[in-house]
Every structure is written in structure tokens, then in C-alpha cells.
Amino acid sequence: MQPKLVRLSQYFLPALREAPAEAQIVSHQLMLRAGMIKQSAAGIYSWLPLGFRVLKKIEQVVREEQDRIGAVELLMPTIQSADLWHKSGRYDDYGKEMLRIKDRHDRDMLYGPTNEELITEIFRTGAKSYRDVPKLLYHIQWKFRDEVRPRFGVMRGREFYMKDAYSFDSSRENALDSYNKFFVAYLRTFARMGLKSIPMRAETGPIGGDNSHEFIILAETGESQVFCHRSYLERDGLDVMDDSSEARANAVQDWTSDYAATEDEHDAEAFAAIPETDRVSTRGIEIGHIFYFGTKYSEKLEANIIDETGATVPVHMGSYGVGVSRLMGAIIEASHDDKGIIWPAAIAPFQLGIVNVKPADTASSATAEQLIEAATNAGMEVLYDDRDQRAGVKFAEMELLGIPWRVVISPKALEAGSFEVTERKGGQTRHMALDDIVPFLCEQQ
Ligand code: P5A
């Protein structure tokens, strides 16, 4: 849990006036300017206090939606032994993207780019029969992929934070229901973050399998070209019913019924058949990717269960990834203006920013403390700018940081008994008495 109140005078927020030249896209520029991350090596970042705070918020939304579908959290290590990868055959297949390490005994180790092998081994030793499935397991852990071209800040990092989940079932049919659970959970997860994600049929690459969807948000700065029907822009991922396997199957059917494809899977003829005004052709960012790959790993790693008939069968599996650190960049790409970031409420680092124009003024400071107490008691997280700085600098910084609501405390406002309450999104300012501010903000949430 992060502290509910942060005083800027005591915080570490190295905001920059200008974005460094190497940042090519707006989310990377804003994350650097807002003092959220600092590069340590190509594609490897330190998460500074503000960035870390948002990362934890994103992680928590992801976690809640995994828990909601009955997935169980655990934690696997970042460093793995190469043994299981030799067995699965991926040690050689994975190529240069895998960071290979030797320990002091000259044993082959690696920094995990993904965890199919390790989780299959964990399941193998802990589950025996059809009574032990379905099982949905996930962790949220750092991954390393030695990408050829790490770029766009956290968007394509080498070290990045991923939620990866794995499903275990006794048959293809049951495994597809698990797949559908994750499909719906992803729609909900991204919608809660204010994103319109579009599931698109996708290639399976080094993970494998014959059924896969990428969850894409549309953005000019995305890495892949995407094509879809305009209907996806009007859908709401939170509307989906998922309380039975039939409801889930219907939801997936509905969400895959209109055309949506990445460049790799694009069918120009099918796309051309859509009325021109409904065709959307733009770029997209992949924020999630789900796979059904059946018995690809369980056969090689001998993860078998006894089925209802007493037969020993390899377990059917899928894996489901969300780019937790990438999401931060994706959300900023989707939600900013020329002044800075505009955080959606669910993942804002603080709900309320208080700017004390004259911290040396005792009455102003006392009023700020009173407001802080009321707001934190109501469950809000508060960023309090109590620094001895020019008011203009403080206002600009609060806007850059994207805090949803800002209240200004000044001797003038105190005298008038009326305070400026400004919404970051849209920029509307209201004036109200001190005691009315917190009840008003509570109503807005
Ligand atoms: C699914 C979970 C997998 O690795 N194995 C476990 C499967 N899928 S994936 O598509 O390769 O990755 C899942 C998500 O991780 C994010 N991602 C990245 N984020 C930042 N930098 C990277 N270099 C990077 N590579 C993958 C993406 O959001 C992807 O959807």
C-alpha cells in the first residue's frame, strides 16, 4: 500500500522542463518529463516514485480481474534453470531474445522471457487427476527479452513487467472455456483503465498453439498496422456477461464477430467488403495476448492427469499475458493533451492535487491541512504541493502529472471563502466553500 498523502517538498519527483531528444513518442516524453522513469540501460528502467505508484495501480486492477475469474496468484522466480527449456525444445528455438546466464558451477541459467515451462512443472508435481482441474494460475513478475530494437520507453523494453497466467484443463473443450474466461477478464481489465481494447486474431509465434488473440488499442504511435470495423469503438468491455460458460462463449462470439485483424492476419478482401465509412485502418498497441496451445508443453514435460475414465492424458493448457509496464505507456498515449498526462480515475496515482500558493502563510497551510485530513479520511489519495515555488510552475506541474482534481489554496481564496476546484480532464473550474470540496469530489467518483 502506498501512502495516502504525499508532500511534494519531501517527495522525489525529478520533473523535467523539456523531454530528452531520444524520446520519440508522447508517452515516453511525458513519463520522462513527469519524473516517472529513468533509463538505466537500453530498454531497462528504474521506476521512480511516481512511476512506481502508477505501476502498482495498474497491477492491482489487473490482479482484481484475475481474481474475479478464479485465477490464483503465485510468484515464480525471474531466473530459471535451462533444464526444462531443453525438455520443451524451446532452449534452442528461442534464439537471441533469451538472456542466457551461467552460474558459478557453469550451469546454464536464463532470465525468464515467459513461464510456460516452469508453471507446467509446478502443476505436474502438484496435480494428479481431473479433480484438480480446471486450475488457473498467474503471477506478476519481471521478464527479460533481449529485443533487437528496444524503443518507445516502457512500450518495448528489454526488462518489462508482465502478468502471465496459465490454465490447466482435462480437455480441449474445457480449456476453451478457460480461454474465454481470460478473454472476458481482459475486456474488463482494459475497460477499467479507460481503454478501448479490441481482440484481434493473432499469430502464435514462439508460444505456439492454434488459437490466439491479441488485445489491441488503437494509437497512431502503435507498432503494428491494424484493421477493424468501427463497431469496436462503440463497445464497452464492462457490459459483458460472463457468469456461465455459455455466456462467456456468447461474449467471445460477439466480440469476434466483426472484422478485426493485425497486419499478419489481415484479409484485404474481407476488409474491403465492409462499408467504407465503417472501415478503420490505423496503428495499434498490443497490451495483452492470449493463447490456447493444447498439449504442446504438457506432452514434452509429462504433465499428465488421470481423466474421468481412468486414462492418463496430457493436460490441456493456455497462457495469457498482459503487458503491465507497457500499459502505462499505452494509457498515456490514449489519454493526454498538450499540457501533460490525464490519468483515468482507476489508475491515477492520486485523486486530488492540492496547490498551496503561499506555504509560508500560516492560515493557508492550516487550511490545506484541514482539506488533506477531510480528503484522506474520505479515502482519497492526495498530492500536496507545499513547495516554495512560483504558482505558475506548480500549476503546470500538477497538469503535467495528470492528477484528476486540483484545489488551489491561496490567501485570496481564503479571504473570499471560495476555492478553485479544477478537473484535469476538460479543464473546468468550479468555485466552492472549503467544506463542500470533499463531498463534491466523493460524488464525482
Ligand atoms: C502469454 C503469457 C506471452 O509471453 N506467455 C505467458 C505468453 N505472450 S506475449 O505476447 O509474448 O507477451 C505478453 C504481453 O507482454 C507484453 N510485452 C512487452 N511489454 C513491454 N516490452 C516488451 N518487450 C514486451 N514484450 C511483450 C505485451 O503487452 C504482450 O501482449
Side-chain angles (χ1 to χ4, degrees):
M1 276 282 272
Q2 295 276 326
K4 283 232 171 299
L5 167 66
V6 164
R7 295 174 195 273
L8 261 181
S9 62
Q10 293 164 20
Y11 207 41
F12 184 69
L13 200 146
L16 305 175
R17 282 227 158 169
E18 303 278 331
E22 82 262 13
Q24 296 165 26
I25 61 170
V26 71
S27 58
H28 189 195
Q29 291 162 359
L30 288 172
M31 285 178 77
L32 291 171
R33 280 185 53 208
M36 299 176 74
I37 51 168
K38 179 164 170 52
Q39 182 172 309
S40 123
I44 305 179
Y45 291 88
S46 295
W47 294 78
L48 305 183
L50 186 70
F52 182 63
R53 196 167 170 117
V54 179
L55 189 68
K56 290 287 140 188
K57 293 267 173 168
I58 296 174
E59 174 182 340
Q60 188 53 23
V61 173
V62 171
R63 175 177 289 118
E64 284 168 18
E65 293 300 324
Q66 295 297 289
D67 294 347
R68 185 176 174 275
I69 58 167
V72 186
E73 187 170 9
L74 47 72
L75 184 61
M76 290 176 269
T78 52
I79 307 286
Q80 305 179 24
S81 148
D83 294 351
L84 292 170
W85 290 72
H86 283 304
K87 274 196 196 157
S88 74
R90 281 209 295 182
Y91 191 71
D92 296 323
D93 288 357
Y94 224 94
K96 288 200 158 175
E97 231 166 83
M98 186 151 79
L99 182 66
R100 294 151 206 261
I101 308 164
K102 282 222 189 271
D103 72 8
R104 66 195 299 162
H105 305 293
D106 216 26
R107 278 189 288 253
D108 288 327
M109 313 290 285
L110 55 99
Y111 193 130
T114 178
N115 286 57
E116 278 80 8
E117 283 79 357
L118 202 52
I119 196 80
T120 305
E121 172 66 8
I122 290 171
F123 179 84
R124 184 184 75 78
T125 49
K128 298 280 168 265
S129 86
Y130 64 90
R131 288 187 211 91
D132 297 321
V133 294
K135 209 49 95 215
L136 314 179
L137 303 174
Y138 75 99
H139 75 160
I140 306 176
Q141 177 63 292
W142 295 94
K143 304 287 183 290
F144 196 95
R145 293 184 184 172
D146 206 350
E147 302 275 352
V148 196
R149 273 219 294 163
R151 56 181 184 153
F152 299 161
V154 299
M155 212 70 105
R156 180 164 295 279
R158 292 199 295 165
E159 188 184 50
F160 61 98
Y161 205 36
M162 190 204 285
K163 184 285 298 178
D164 39 325
Y166 304 86
S167 64
F168 302 87
D169 282 279
S170 57
S171 67
R172 179 184 167 90
E173 193 194 349
N174 292 341
L176 289 176
D177 187 37
S178 292
Y179 185 91
N180 292 346
K181 283 183 188 166
F182 285 100
F183 189 108
V184 176
Y186 279 21
L187 292 175
R188 288 182 53 89
T189 303
F190 303 135
R192 280 183 61 186
M193 297 176 190
L195 297 173
K196 284 209 176 297
S197 72
I198 306 173
M200 301 193 181
R201 193 158 265 290
E203 284 189 326
T204 56
I207 307 294
D210 60 7
N211 191 15
S212 173
H213 288 90
E214 284 175 9
F215 288 74
I216 302 271
I217 65 154
L218 304 184
E220 290 298 329
T221 48
E223 289 196 292
S224 43
Q225 185 68 33
V226 296
F227 307 86
C228 70
H229 194 288
R230 190 166 299 283
S231 73
Y232 284 104
L233 304 178
E234 269 105 58
R235 291 165 186 246
D236 184 347
L238 291 172
D239 284 346
V240 177
M241 296 289 289
D242 65 343
D243 49 4
S244 66
S245 51
E246 200 187 347
R248 289 189 281 275
N250 288 338
V252 172
Q253 169 68 29
D254 175 41
W255 275 79
T256 50
S257 57
D258 279 328
Y259 190 86
T262 59
E263 207 167 11
D264 300 332
E265 299 274 320
H266 184 49
D267 174 348
E269 219 171 286
F271 188 61
I274 302 171
E276 201 173 344
T277 47
D278 288 335
R279 275 182 234 156
V280 179
S281 162
T282 179
R283 301 190 74 78
I285 303 169
E286 179 200 318
I287 49 178
H289 198 162
I290 61 177
F291 303 81
Y292 166 71
F293 43 72
T295 57
K296 172 175 171 180
Y297 299 91
S298 52
E299 279 183 38
K300 293 207 168 108
L301 299 172
E302 293 166 43
N304 300 317
I305 52 171
I306 315 279
D307 75 6
E308 286 89 334
T309 67
T312 299
V313 293
V315 70
H316 286 251
M317 292 176 58
S319 73
Y320 313 89
V322 169
V324 177
S325 48
R326 176 178 288 183
L327 266 170
M328 194 169 327
I331 291 165
I332 298 174
E333 287 296 323
S335 188
H336 67 269
D337 62 14
D338 53 1
K339 295 184 184 128
I341 303 166
I342 306 176
W343 291 116
I347 55 148
F350 305 93
Q351 290 79 51
L352 174 61
I354 300 176
V355 176
N356 185 349
V357 170
K358 212 168 177 197
D361 175 51
T362 335
S364 290
S365 293
T367 305
E369 295 297 337
Q370 208 181 319
L371 180 60
I372 288 167
E373 179 155 341
T376 50
N377 283 344
M380 269 173 238
E381 291 160 296
V382 179
L383 181 64
Y384 175 35
D385 194 345
D386 57 343
R387 293 170 308 170
D388 185 17
Q389 274 273 7
R390 278 198 303 116
V393 171
K394 294 182 173 188
F395 292 148
E397 211 162 290
M398 212 47 105
E399 279 171 333
L400 170 66
L401 303 186
I403 313 304
W405 293 92
R406 182 188 75 194
V407 173
V408 180
I409 311 262
S410 65
K412 220 167 101 191
L414 244 70
E415 198 183 323
S418 171
F419 297 83
E420 270 183 21
V421 179
T422 307
E423 189 170 8
R424 176 67 182 86
K425 190 177 174 184
Q428 195 192 340
T429 295
R430 298 160 170 92
H431 290 87
M432 55 186 86
L434 191 69
D435 290 345
D436 294 339
I437 297 175
V438 170
F440 166 77
L441 293 178
C442 288
E443 257 171 48
Q444 306 298 310
Q445 288 182 353

